[in-house]
Amino acid sequence: SGILVEPFDVLQLSESIIKLLNDKQLAKNLAENGYEKLKTNFSFQRMLNDHISVYEKITTGDWLPS
C-alpha cells in the first residue's frame, strides 16, 4: 500500500513521486490498497473493540506480568 524510501533520500523520494505521476495504474492500486487497509485496521468498530479490550485487561489485572 505504499512505496518505501530511505529517510532523507531526496533523490529516491523524487524518483518515487515521478514514478507515481507517470504510472496512473500503480498510483490507483496503491490508493485502493491503502484505503482497504484503513477500513480494515482503523474502523470505528475496530478501534472501539481494541479500547474495550485494553480496559478489560486493566480492570481484571490481565496486563500484569506473571
Side-chain angles (χ1 to χ4, degrees), residues 43-55:
S43 70
F44 176 77
Q45 192 61 50
R46 170 81 186 265
M47 294 278 116
L48 180 63
N49 291 342
D50 288 352
H51 279 80
I52 290 171
S53 176
V54 168
Y55 291 133

Side-chain angles (χ1 to χ4, degrees), residues 55-64:
Y55 291 133
E56 287 174 344
K57 287 178 182 177
I58 291 170
T59 58
T60 62
D62 286 345
W63 62 276
L64 298 171

Side-chain angles (χ1 to χ4, degrees), residues 15-52:
E15 289 171 346
S16 297
I17 292 170
I18 292 168
K19 181 177 182 176
L20 287 173
L21 291 171
N22 291 329
D23 190 342
K24 301 297 183 195
Q25 188 60 48
L26 174 61
K28 181 180 177 188
N29 289 343
L30 290 176
E32 289 172 352
N33 291 340
Y35 182 64
E36 287 303 316
K37 190 172 192 171
L38 174 77
K39 288 192 314 184
T40 302
N41 295 320
F42 301 101
S43 70
F44 176 77
Q45 192 61 50
R46 170 81 186 265
M47 294 278 116
L48 180 63
N49 291 342
D50 288 352
H51 279 80
I52 290 171

Side-chain angles (χ1 to χ4, degrees), residues 3-20:
I3 296 175
L4 296 177
V5 297
E6 291 295 323
F8 308 107
D9 190 335
V10 177
L11 179 61
Q12 189 180 25
L13 177 60
S14 63
E15 289 171 346
S16 297
I17 292 170
I18 292 168
K19 181 177 182 176
L20 287 173

